[in-house]
Amino acid sequence: MTVVHIPNSTILSSYARHFMTEQQEKEAKGGRGFGSDDSSKAAKSTVASVEDSSSVKAGQDITIPQLEDYCNDFTADIKNKLATLTLSHETYSEALENREVYLKHPPVFSHKLEIDAPITNQKNSGRCWIFAGLNMLRQHMMKEYNLDELELSEPFVFFYDKLEKSNWFLENILRTLDEDLDGRLVQLLLAGPVQDGGQWDMFVALVDKYGVVPKEAYPETVHTADSGQMDWLITTKLREYAKEIRTEHANGKSIDELRKMKDRMLREIHKVISVSLGQPPKTIDWSFYSKDKKFHEFRNVTPLEFYKNHVKQDCTKFVSLINDPRNEYMKKYTVDYLGNVYGAESVYYINISIQCLKEYAIRIIKSGRPIWLGCDVGKFVSPNHGMMDTKAIDYESAFDFGFGMTKAERLQYSDSTISHAMVLTGVHIEDGKPVRWRVENSWGESVGNKGYLTMTDRWFDEFVYQIVIEKSELSKEVLDVLGQEAVVLPPWDLMLGVFGK
């Protein structure tokens, strides 16, 4: 894996500047950023002053005098008492919500999609990547058929994802029969065989193989809305199957014999999913009223026919663009063992700069099309106002410290990753530059601004990692990257693995 080292003279990100004093920011703008001689001296001076203020010598263990020193230091500042009184009764996001941020960024956008589709709700599951994919696809359908509302069936895609992931897991067990059971790879495979999360190319593999249906043709059940129990049952059985396969391999069974065992195992998994979710329809009848009150009906349509003839968007013609500053830009990446459907195209990404990523996003939004988006949704978010901003939660006022890692460093030290998929539906531009973005979420209307979130551009810089656009939108230079041999990242790479919140 190639790691890009950012030189000390690099201009600091907006995220890093947020956590600097005014004087430090002036010095950084003058070329003396983190790591320069002057700032290093200042940092050492600060550390020295803190160390000098304590008479307690630090060692391997926490001593009682050391703890007493911590307590004395805490009680000496009256602000800590006020913070304790407040934060012992309220969450950080409630008590430390920065009012200035959401007043500065109202949910108004200079460029917004024409259609506001009804907000969906993935409930207590990790199906965000499926919701985002289907929510992106429905925009074109709603315009073509003149619809007020439309939701495509996430449970339909979810059913086949669970079955395909089970097969993917068992095939990977067959692939690793001679690997050490206690080794990192096999233990990683055993850790989460059928987790709810996924990636764009995994979504493409499912809809391209099985198609799509409207939500009313295959609705939610208890186990799609809250997938924990079903996931536990399937996971437990798959681990048992893995043990059985490895044992029989050790006893001398051939790969053909082991695959016959796999067929019996998949039959049992199919039963679990079918009992929990109901069997998906083979054909559907789709009837609806358009906004002009006209009746429309399409009868005896297969899910694949519905996808090709009514959704009318070929997902294989889209590509994932990522911003991963750990790794070299203008390169193609994949992750070993990542996927869900055997025989489908591998999961690929093109790594580009954040500025290039945003330029593509702005162009697509201005053309009236939605964008599938991958980001780290848990960072600096105000749920009450649906505001995503690096200053949305004012930790510094409560705790007297900030956060100093860069985007690349947060990835390297497991402090950030792609955790959630949503849909970009708008952008607000001032003086030719993006200021904030409009995001369609899938957590119901009670979160944010009736289900929509507002993302500031500086939050985009720091916590957006992936967008999906049509290959036809790419410049020749970027498109040529697809022809490269992919750099294969290890299966434990958290940044580019599966995700779902």
Side-chain angles (χ1 to χ4, degrees):
M1 178 174 68
T2 303
V3 178
V4 176
H5 296 281
I6 303 174
N8 293 335
S9 60
T10 300
I11 296 174
L12 295 170
S13 67
S14 58
Y15 179 83
R17 288 198 303 270
H18 166 51
F19 302 115
M20 299 170 64
T21 65
E22 183 178 349
Q23 180 60 31
Q24 286 173 322
E25 185 169 353
K26 287 179 180 178
E27 291 176 354
K29 288 178 179 178
R32 295 179 292 171
F34 296 140
S36 67
D37 291 340
D38 287 350
S39 61
S40 295
K41 291 176 183 177
K44 289 176 182 177
S45 175
T46 301
V47 172
S49 65
V50 172
E51 290 177 348
D52 292 344
S53 68
S54 172
S55 60
V56 179
K57 186 177 180 180
Q60 287 183 317
D61 60 333
I62 299 177
T63 66
I64 297 302
Q66 186 179 0
L67 182 59
E68 289 178 352
D69 192 56
Y70 294 167
C71 292
N72 292 336
D73 184 56
F74 180 83
T75 55
D77 189 346
I78 189 64
K79 191 184 77 170
N80 289 333
K81 183 175 182 179
L82 177 61
T84 302
L85 290 172
T86 302
L87 292 174
S88 60
H89 297 286
E90 294 185 16
T91 65
Y92 297 158
S93 62
E94 292 171 336
L96 305 180
E97 183 180 53
N98 192 334
R99 185 171 180 264
E100 293 180 1
V101 171
Y102 65 79
L103 289 179
K104 183 179 179 180
H105 296 283
V108 179
F109 304 86
S110 57
H111 304 275
K112 185 176 76 71
L113 299 192
E114 180 182 343
I115 296 174
D116 280 343
I119 289 297
T120 54
N121 193 342
Q122 66 188 76
K123 299 186 179 178
N124 193 22
S125 73
R127 299 173 291 162
C128 61
W129 58 290
I130 297 175
F131 273 74
L134 295 177
N135 287 344
M136 188 187 84
L137 294 181
R138 67 176 172 169
Q139 280 275 341
H140 175 77
M141 293 182 67
M142 292 180 70
K143 184 178 294 186
E144 178 169 345
Y145 290 105
N146 195 26
L147 299 174
D148 273 323
E149 57 184 42
L150 172 68
E151 186 171 356
L152 300 173
S153 176
E154 303 88 7
F156 180 85
V157 180
F158 191 60
F159 179 101
Y160 290 112
D161 181 57
K162 291 300 179 187
L163 185 61
E164 290 285 359
K165 276 179 180 166
S166 298
N167 180 62
W168 183 269
F169 169 77
L170 293 173
E171 280 295 320
N172 283 335
I173 293 300
L174 292 172
R175 180 181 169 187
T176 56
L177 286 172
D178 296 320
E179 294 280 344
D180 184 1
L181 175 61
D182 294 328
R184 186 177 188 182
L185 175 58
V186 175
Q187 287 301 309
L188 178 71
L189 296 175
L190 292 169
V194 289
Q195 74 288 335
D196 287 357
Q199 259 291 352
W200 168 257
D201 284 327
M202 295 166 67
F203 172 78
V204 175
L206 292 167
V207 299
D208 200 49
K209 182 174 181 177
Y210 295 106
V212 174
V213 299
K215 188 71 168 266
E216 57 266 26
Y218 193 69
E220 300 280 352
T221 73
V222 168
H223 296 288
T224 58
D226 190 350
S227 57
Q229 285 187 331
M230 183 180 72
D231 285 351
W232 167 82
L233 180 57
I234 296 173
T235 296
T236 296
K237 290 303 295 181
L238 287 174
R239 289 169 178 160
E240 182 180 303
Y241 298 153
K243 179 258 180 187
E244 185 178 346
I245 288 172
R246 287 177 66 94
T247 299
E248 291 305 315
H249 169 67
N251 290 337
K253 288 236 173 135
S254 69
I255 192 70
D256 289 338
E257 290 173 311
L258 295 177
R259 281 216 166 87
K260 286 181 181 178
M261 292 170 54
K262 188 192 80 166
D263 181 68
R264 182 257 303 167
M265 296 166 180
L266 286 175
R267 191 181 302 273
E268 291 179 353
I269 295 298
H270 179 270
K271 182 177 182 179
V272 171
I273 305 170
S274 296
V275 168
S276 303
L277 308 187
Q279 291 204 56
K282 300 294 190 295
T283 62
I284 64 163
D285 296 332
W286 185 39
S287 57
F288 58 91
Y289 290 102
S290 55
K291 286 194 286 188
D292 55 9
K293 308 301 181 185
K294 291 182 179 179
F295 176 76
H296 303 265
E297 184 176 36
F298 301 91
R299 299 184 61 82
N300 200 34
V301 181
T302 69
L304 273 173
E305 288 171 342
F306 186 82
Y307 171 56
K308 293 175 181 177
N309 299 332
H310 297 286
V311 176
K312 295 182 182 178
Q313 292 188 80
D314 185 354
C315 290
T316 63
K317 293 183 178 179
F318 288 73
V319 64
S320 286
L321 303 178
I322 60 167
N323 175 242
D324 179 359
R326 301 171 305 167
N327 294 305
E328 188 177 354
Y329 294 151
M330 299 303 291
K331 293 288 185 181
K332 179 182 176 182
Y333 293 88
T334 188
V335 178
D336 204 9
Y337 289 89
L338 177 61
N340 58 347
V341 177
Y342 255 86
E345 184 79 7
S346 297
V347 177
Y348 291 122
Y349 313 90
I350 298 177
N351 195 19
I352 60 176
S353 70
I354 192 65
Q355 185 59 36
C356 185
L357 192 102
K358 287 196 289 188
E359 288 172 1
Y360 279 121
I362 290 170
R363 184 197 307 171
I364 300 300
I365 293 296
K366 284 184 174 182
S367 72
R369 290 170 288 166
I371 300 171
W372 192 98
L373 168 87
C375 66
D376 191 359
V377 75
K379 298 291 193 296
F380 301 97
V381 176
S382 169
N384 293 335
H385 291 87
M387 177 59 62
M388 308 164 79
D389 181 74
T390 57
K391 295 184 180 180
I393 310 300
D394 188 2
Y395 293 102
E396 191 170 2
S397 292
F399 301 107
D400 297 320
F401 62 67
F403 305 87
M405 286 195 288
T406 66
K407 190 174 189 178
E409 290 165 345
R410 289 193 299 274
L411 292 170
Q412 291 166 336
Y413 284 85
S414 300
D415 187 61
S416 186
T417 186
I418 307 177
S419 63
H420 190 49
M422 299 182 284
V423 181
L424 273 179
T425 64
V427 61
H428 184 69
I429 296 177
E430 293 179 1
D431 299 324
K433 297 180 180 180
V435 176
R436 56 182 174 268
W437 303 75
R438 187 175 191 249
V439 188
E440 177 188 334
N441 200 4
S442 55
W443 291 346
E445 292 190 355
S446 62
V447 177
N449 181 27
K450 296 182 179 179
Y452 286 89
L453 304 179
T454 298
M455 174 198 304
T456 63
D457 193 60
R458 62 188 175 192
W459 196 97
F460 193 118
D461 286 342
E462 300 299 335
F463 298 110
V464 168
Y465 294 104
Q466 180 181 8
I467 65 171
V468 171
I469 68 171
E470 290 171 286
K471 297 173 186 176
S472 60
E473 293 290 337
L474 300 178
S475 68
K476 184 181 184 304
E477 182 185 15
V478 176
L479 188 61
D480 286 345
V481 175
L482 277 177
Q484 296 178 3
E485 183 177 348
V487 177
V488 181
L489 299 178
W492 40 83
D493 191 291
L494 295 178
M495 158 65 177
L496 298 178
V498 299
F499 61 89
K501 274 193 177 182

